[in-house]
Amino acid sequence: MSTALRLGEKLEKLTWTGRTAHILKEEIDRLQQAGSLSIPKEPGGWWHQYVCPHHHTELMFDPMQVDASEFLCPHGCKIEGEAYRGAWLVFKHQSLARVALQSAAVYAALGEKSYAQISKRLLVEYAEQFPLYPVHPEAQSWMLKGRAFHQALTEAIWSTTLIRAYLLLRDEGVVFEAKEQAAIDAFLGLLAGSMEEYRHILIHERNNAENNYTAWLNASLSCVYAARGEQAALEALIEGQGGFKHHLSIGVKADQLEFEGSTYYHVFVLRAYLISAEMAQRFGIDLYATTGADGQSMRGMLEALTDLADDQGALPALHDGPLARDPYAREIAEIAEQGLAIYGIAGLAPVLREAYRQLGAAGGEQLEALLYGAGEAADRAPALEPRGSRLWPDAGFVIGRAAGNPLSFLADFGEHGGSHGHYDKLHLTLMHTDQTLTPDFGMVPYGSPMRKSWFAETASHNTVSLDGRSQAPHEGRCLRYEANDSTVYAWLQSIEAYEGCTLNRHLLLTGEWLLDWFQVELAGEEPKSIEWWMHPAVQTHSEQSLSRDEVYKLLIEQKDAASNAITVTEQDLPIIGQFVPSDSIDASGSAQLNVSYALCSDPNGSAATVFHTALVQPGDELLAVQTPGDSVDPSQSLTAMLHRRNDRKADFIHVYRAGSCAELTHISAQEIAISVLGQTNSSKHIQLTADRGLLII
């Protein structure tokens, strides 16, 4: 299916290609002049350990550095230690593999032989060095061990970049001398042996063929078989257990999302699939149109991303995965370029633009564009049709969009997600066309203790916790979903988050507002602290707030893998204020809290405002809690809203509106009214029923 042009043809047909090739050439020149294109003789470690122990931010990496023993945090910390050096070496090896591919691409585009020589030298030096790296003695016990890195997974990814550089040089007629070819052949043989061994362990010994590792072991082997011209081996890999077709059937849900429910790992696996398809195409085998047992496909996976992205093109950080990170942005750009070029999926254009914006390359002057981009700039940024709502019933996500309303929502009710899941069922992400207000803040590098002490915990998400404890790992369900152009309703339920506790979240989006009615019921006689959380990423404005001198106690449970013993630790989050509702009290004793959020300016320079109205019933508290920041920089604290009630039942009723405030009226325990100030005949009565959920009456 792919109709990719060779780079020389692109230079002739596409106006942007020459400029991009020259920018990439100059980038290589700077690295060459700095003397930084020398491969380390030491293997890399585990990149997730490249994180500041004080600020929990990822440490900085400069590809211009020849070597490093001291590593800088964005806040000025200077960190030393073998684990950090091992992580730095991962980045160094990966950056040099990228230079090998980039140099091959520059040669293919511009025909300057010196860049072929740079690529060739790096490839041969790595081929000669690879057998000298030991099977990593310092890797953690759970890892499949690599040679050039702690993890075989990292090795598989790195190897695909090197082999694609080798194949591109060969395509352009570059000849390797006998000694050089012998080194490369030895490297390919050793690599194939490792990847085949680890596939056997994952698929047959651990019975874990669906693992995202498998997709990358397959991609690495696909590259090896393409480089060695072994069509039969590649065909067996595609068709066999754990191979391309089987993994597509078991590693991706029928609704086209990767089985772990993580956007990051969805992109991760999809990128491996596309590399495998690129290699298969060399033998005339078309995997681009392949479907899994339940209709899974690479096209479907790409289309899912177009629906998940916010209006700026940013992908949500569902479950484990970075909120924003340059290597991740490059991965997104790589798959988005191919989605546009191969499948013509126009909805990927904003996703691609956002990835390049994060990389500081708004014009797309990146290697991914040179390798995979097709068409002129206008073709790669087509006019987009308005997007509608979507339910992913298998993965367990729902997006609501209504015509005329700049607000939309994304909610999570599905499977826990295994080792990459969070305790976040019924989490709500609230979005505006200008900015996402309450994102999932993503995950820090796994070497940070905050992975388990905050970012996976329930209290770090926009959902409900009990008594300071996180939910159990479990799967919720969608009891009702109805969507048309003007109204979207989703009724989400969880009955396994806590023993004897039923959580029902009702989300009703109209052209005017979004209603979030979250009802919690406990089966026992003992009241508990029922805690509704909201984490705005934008500035909150509230007219009154009283300071308080107390803390919220977050209880963190950790299970010892060997003994299964559970330990509980406490983390104190400062309560820095109390939101004060209006003085007006209705007949039931309820009041309203009015809050607003100022969004970032749109391209025209005007700033939008979102208004938030909460129903405050007798016994409710609405507190301002100081929390860690997002996963990009946890040290920059944020302020969360905690709506809590000590009871056996709670109804948390909140409504959001863009541009002006909506007013809530409490009619009865099962009925409210919502009206828009200044609009006549705007009042809508909403009733909560036991069998059908919310009804507009």
Side-chain angles (χ1 to χ4, degrees), residues 407 430 432 437 595-599 608-612 656-659:
L407 297 179
L430 176 62
H432 185 278
L437 279 78
V595 178
S596 64
Y597 307 100
L599 306 187
T609 302
V610 174
F611 292 85
H612 173 188
Y656 306 90
R657 189 172 191 278

Side-chain angles (χ1 to χ4, degrees), residues 57-110:
T57 56
E58 189 173 323
L59 300 174
M60 295 187 290
F61 173 77
D62 181 0
M64 300 286 282
Q65 280 186 293
V66 179
D67 202 355
S69 58
E70 187 176 75
F71 313 98
L72 300 180
C73 161
H75 294 282
C77 301
K78 295 181 179 180
I79 310 297
E80 296 180 353
E82 285 304 310
Y84 302 104
R85 175 165 171 76
W88 179 88
L89 283 163
V90 173
F91 288 99
K92 187 64 178 177
H93 286 304
Q94 289 174 329
S95 72
L96 289 170
R98 183 177 175 86
V99 171
L101 180 56
Q102 186 166 319
S103 299
V106 167
Y107 169 67
L110 302 179

Side-chain angles (χ1 to χ4, degrees), residues 453-475:
S453 67
W454 176 246
F455 285 98
E457 298 297 310
T458 302
S460 75
H461 294 83
N462 306 312
T463 185
V464 162
S465 59
L466 284 187
D467 282 342
R469 296 182 298 116
S470 281
Q471 301 172 1
H474 73 290
E475 181 177 359

Side-chain angles (χ1 to χ4, degrees), residues 405-675:
N405 195 338
L407 297 179
S408 58
F409 70 82
L410 167 62
D412 176 351
F413 63 89
E415 291 183 21
H416 177 67
S419 62
H420 295 301
H422 293 185
Y423 309 104
D424 63 349
K425 290 311 102 183
L426 279 52
H427 164 88
L428 174 69
T429 292
L430 176 62
M431 297 170 284
H432 185 278
T433 50
D434 287 352
Q435 187 178 4
T436 295
L437 279 78
T438 64
D440 191 318
F441 286 126
M443 179 52 69
V444 287
Y446 298 162
S448 167
M450 290 191 76
R451 180 191 186 190
K452 295 182 177 178
S453 67
W454 176 246
F455 285 98
E457 298 297 310
T458 302
S460 75
H461 294 83
N462 306 312
T463 185
V464 162
S465 59
L466 284 187
D467 282 342
R469 296 182 298 116
S470 281
Q471 301 172 1
H474 73 290
E475 181 177 359
R477 55 185 176 170
C478 180
L479 295 184
R480 185 177 162 208
Y481 167 74
E482 295 179 359
N484 55 47
D485 288 343
S486 60
T487 306
V488 185
Y489 173 53
W491 175 3
L492 312 177
Q493 185 183 79
S494 160
I495 58 174
E496 297 177 358
Y498 302 95
E499 186 176 354
C501 175
T502 299
L503 307 176
N504 284 290
R505 188 162 215 164
H506 302 271
L507 298 165
L508 177 61
L509 180 70
T510 72
E512 292 287 345
W513 37 256
L514 169 64
L515 170 64
D516 174 15
W517 190 329
F518 204 137
Q519 188 173 74
V520 184
E521 294 185 77
L522 307 181
E525 296 297 322
E526 184 181 346
K528 294 183 183 296
S529 176
I530 306 173
E531 302 151 351
W532 178 98
W533 289 94
M534 178 184 178
H535 297 268
V538 298
Q539 187 174 359
T540 304
H541 298 281
S542 178
E543 290 189 4
Q544 299 183 62
S545 181
L546 302 177
S547 61
R548 291 172 61 123
D549 184 21
E550 61 177 295
V551 297
Y552 171 85
K553 291 191 177 296
L554 174 64
L555 304 179
I556 302 162
E557 296 184 358
Q558 291 192 353
K559 180 184 287 188
D560 182 82
S563 66
N564 285 329
I566 295 176
T567 58
V568 179
T569 57
E570 285 187 4
Q571 180 176 336
D572 292 343
L573 301 176
I575 296 174
I576 58 176
Q578 179 172 329
F579 295 101
V580 180
S582 64
D583 294 332
S584 178
I585 305 294
D586 65 20
S588 69
S590 301
Q592 291 186 70
L593 173 71
N594 294 307
V595 178
S596 64
Y597 307 100
L599 306 187
C600 294
S601 297
D602 67 18
N604 298 319
S606 59
T609 302
V610 174
F611 292 85
H612 173 188
T613 305
L615 191 67
V616 186
Q617 301 181 65
D620 286 2
E621 286 186 296
L622 282 105
L623 306 172
V625 181
Q626 184 176 303
T627 72
D630 62 31
S631 60
V632 176
D633 191 351
S635 70
Q636 299 297 302
S637 61
L638 292 167
T639 300
M641 177 184 286
L642 170 60
H643 188 172
R644 74 180 177 187
R645 180 180 185 85
N646 196 65
D647 207 335
R648 294 175 51 247
K649 181 178 179 179
D651 285 85
F652 301 113
I653 302 173
H654 296 252
V655 66
Y656 306 90
R657 189 172 191 278
S660 65
C661 189
E663 189 172 63
L664 272 171
T665 303
H666 194 208
I667 308 298
S668 70
Q670 285 78 38
E671 186 176 340
I672 62 169
I674 302 175
S675 57

